[in-house]
C-alpha cells in the first residue's frame, strides 16, 4: 500500500532526494528557453541525459497554491524545449489540483514521485483516461491521512540506482500519446472502447460511483481492528476442536491452527472493491497453502460483489463471510 506524504519536512526531503537523483542520472547542464502556451522561461539551466531534460524551481510568489515545479521533456539541438509533462508538488498537505505528489510504500518505507495522469498540450483528446488506456499505464491507490484514497501513476522512486528510468519511460509514453492524438489514433472505435472499459474498471477498483468515491456514514477503514476482534469472538462461539487454537499475525487477520499447521484462514477487508478483493485473494492463497486449509474472505455486507470476483472466489474455494457495522457494534451476518 502507498500512503500520501503530507508532512512539510518529509515532502522537502523527498523533493531534495528526487533532484539529487536526477542530477546524477541527467549529468549535463544545458541552457534552453522553455516554452508553453502563453509563456516562456528564458535561459533556463536544465539537466539532461542527452535525450530528455528536467527543470525544477520554486513557484511561490503571487500564486494561490505555492508549489515546486518539476518539468520534463525531450531535448534537441535547438535553443528551445517544450514541456511534455509537469509533475509539480505541494510544499505541504494535499491539493488534488496539483498533479504531482509524493507517496511512501508502507512495506519498504521508500518514497516515490507520483503523477495524477492529467496532461496538457492544447489538443482535443489530450486527457487522463485516454492516456492511461492508450499507454496501458497502471493507476495506484494512495491512502491519505483522512482515510480517503487518491489515484496516481508511479513516476519514479526518489532515490536509488537507475531511479530515473521509469520516469523516462513515462515521459516517452506521454510524448507518444500526444503524437497519437494528433494523428487520430486515439479516436478509433477500439481506442474509445478501451478507454471506456478502463474507466469502468478503475471506478470499480477504487469503489467509485459516477466518478466519485462512495461515501459512508461509518468509517469502515478505521474500524478494521474492531471487525477482526468480533470475528475472533464469533469463531470462538462456534466451538473449537480439541488441539485447535486461534492465531493471528501481521500477514493474516485470523486463523485456526492445529500444531504448526493452519487449518482455517480469515482475511478481513473494509470494502468489496477490486483492489481489496484482489489483495484478499492473494493473502489467503499465499498464507494458507495447504489444500486442507479452509479460506474465508470477510467483506462488508452492504456492498455488491462483482460477478466475476464472486466466480473467482468460488473457483479458488474461498468462502465469503459478510459483516455489517453499526455505530456501536460489528454484526457477523
Amino acid at each position: 500500500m502507498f500512503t500520501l506524504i503530507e508532512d512539510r519536512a518529509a515532502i522537502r526531503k523527498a523533493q531534495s532526494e528526487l533532484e539529487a537523483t536526477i542530477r546524477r542520472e541527467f549529468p549535463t547542464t544545458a541552457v534552453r528557453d522553455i516554452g508553453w502556451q502563453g509563456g516562456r522561461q528564458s535561459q533556463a539551466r536544465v539537466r539532461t541525459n542527452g535525450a530528455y531534460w528536467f527543470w525544477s524551481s520554486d513557484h511561490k510568489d503571487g500564486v494561490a497554491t505555492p508549489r515546486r515545479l518539476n518539468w520534463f521533456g525531450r531535448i534537441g539541438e535547438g535553443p528551445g524545449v517544450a514541456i511534455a509533462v509537469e509533475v509539480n508538488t505541494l510544499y505541504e498537505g494535499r491539493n488534488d489540483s496539483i498533479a504531482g505528489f509524493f507517496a511512501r510504500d508502507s512495506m519498504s518505507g521508500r518514497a516515490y514521485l507520483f503523477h495524477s495522469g492529467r496532461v496538457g498540450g492544447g489538443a482535443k483528446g489530450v486527457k487522463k483516461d485516454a492516456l492511461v488506456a492508450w499507454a496501458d499505464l497502471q493507476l495506484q491507490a494512495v491512502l491519505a491521512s483522512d482515510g480517503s484514497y487518491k489515484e496516481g501513476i508511479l513516476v519514479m522512486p526518489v532515490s536509488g540506482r537507475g531511479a530515473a528510468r521509469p520516469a523516462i519511460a513515462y515521459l516517452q509514453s506521454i510524448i507518444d500519446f500526444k503524437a497519437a492524438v494528433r494523428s487520430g489514433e486515439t479516436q478509433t472505435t477500439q481506442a474509445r472502447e478501451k478507454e471506456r472499459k478502463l474507466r469502468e474498471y478503475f471506478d470499480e477498483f477504487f469503489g467509485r460511483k459516477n466518478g466519485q468515491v462512495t461515501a459512508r456514514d461509518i468509517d469502515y477503514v478505521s474500524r478494521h481492528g474492531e471487525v477482526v476482534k468480533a470475528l475472533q469472538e464469533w469463531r470462538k462461539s462456534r466451538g473449537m476442536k480439541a488441539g485447535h487454537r486461534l492465531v493471528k499475525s501481521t500477514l493474516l487477520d485470523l486463523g485456526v491452527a492445529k500444531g504448526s499447521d493452519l487449518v482455517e484462514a480469515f482475511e478481513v477487508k473494509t470494502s468489496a472493491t477490486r483492489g481489496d478483493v484482489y489483495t484478499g485473494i492473494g493473502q489467503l492463497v499465499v498464507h494458507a497453502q495447504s489444500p486442507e486449509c479452509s479460506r474465508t474472505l470477510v467483506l462488508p455486507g452492504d456492498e455488491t460483489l462483482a460477478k466475476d470476483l464472486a466466480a473467482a472466489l468460488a473457483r479458488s474455494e474461498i468462502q465469503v463471510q459478510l459483516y455489517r457495522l453499526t455505530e456501536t457494534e460489528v454484526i457477523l451476518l
Side-chain angles (χ1 to χ4, degrees), residues 6-17:
E6 302 176 58
D7 174 72
R8 188 178 188 88
I11 291 175
R12 183 171 60 246
K13 182 175 185 293
Q15 178 70 35
S16 177
E17 291 179 352

Side-chain angles (χ1 to χ4, degrees), residues 6-228:
E6 302 176 58
D7 174 72
R8 188 178 188 88
I11 291 175
R12 183 171 60 246
K13 182 175 185 293
Q15 178 70 35
S16 177
E17 291 179 352
L18 171 72
E19 293 182 33
T21 296
I22 294 180
R23 284 195 300 270
R24 184 184 70 244
E25 299 197 23
F26 284 34
T28 304
T29 299
V31 177
R32 294 290 191 274
D33 292 341
I34 306 173
W36 63 92
Q37 190 173 11
R40 177 173 295 273
Q41 177 71 41
S42 300
Q43 298 294 288
R45 297 176 63 83
V46 303
R47 303 294 299 193
T48 177
N49 65 352
Y52 303 91
W53 63 268
F54 170 82
W55 182 79
S56 187
S57 179
D58 286 317
H59 190 49
K60 298 179 178 179
D61 299 332
V63 294
T65 307
R67 54 197 179 274
R68 183 71 177 178
L69 305 179
N70 295 309
W71 295 354
F72 295 86
R74 287 277 300 185
I75 197 166
E77 296 298 327
V81 292
I83 304 168
V85 63
E86 299 184 34
V87 195
N88 305 329
T89 57
L90 290 173
Y91 295 110
E92 184 176 14
R94 172 182 178 177
N95 185 327
D96 291 348
S97 68
I98 305 302
F101 58 93
F102 295 106
R104 194 177 307 282
D105 184 336
S106 58
M107 295 295 289
S108 69
R110 296 189 69 181
Y112 294 82
L113 177 66
F114 278 77
H115 185 242
S116 68
R118 296 197 312 272
V119 288
K124 183 180 179 180
V126 176
K127 56 182 182 177
K128 173 182 174 177
D129 287 357
L131 166 66
V132 174
W134 185 87
D136 293 318
L137 299 172
Q138 184 177 8
L139 288 169
Q140 303 279 356
V142 178
L143 180 64
S145 60
D146 62 1
S148 66
Y149 284 89
K150 63 185 298 180
E151 60 187 32
I153 298 162
L154 194 158
V155 177
M156 62 177 285
V158 300
S159 62
R161 296 177 61 184
R165 290 182 64 84
I168 291 170
Y170 181 50
L171 171 58
Q172 187 58 51
S173 71
I174 292 172
I175 293 169
D176 293 342
F177 165 70
K178 290 181 178 180
V181 170
R182 291 192 296 271
S183 68
E185 292 178 43
T186 62
Q187 299 304 311
T188 65
T189 302
Q190 294 88 341
R192 288 177 178 274
E193 180 64 11
K194 186 176 181 181
E195 181 183 339
R196 184 188 66 79
K197 288 183 177 179
L198 174 132
R199 179 40 55 194
E200 287 182 354
Y201 172 85
F202 279 106
D203 284 350
E204 186 179 355
F205 189 94
F206 288 101
R208 297 175 186 272
K209 301 297 181 185
N210 298 322
Q212 299 295 321
V213 177
T214 303
R216 281 171 162 171
D217 291 334
I218 296 175
D219 183 355
Y220 275 56
V221 174
S222 67
R223 292 178 63 179
H224 175 270
E226 187 182 341
V227 178
V228 173

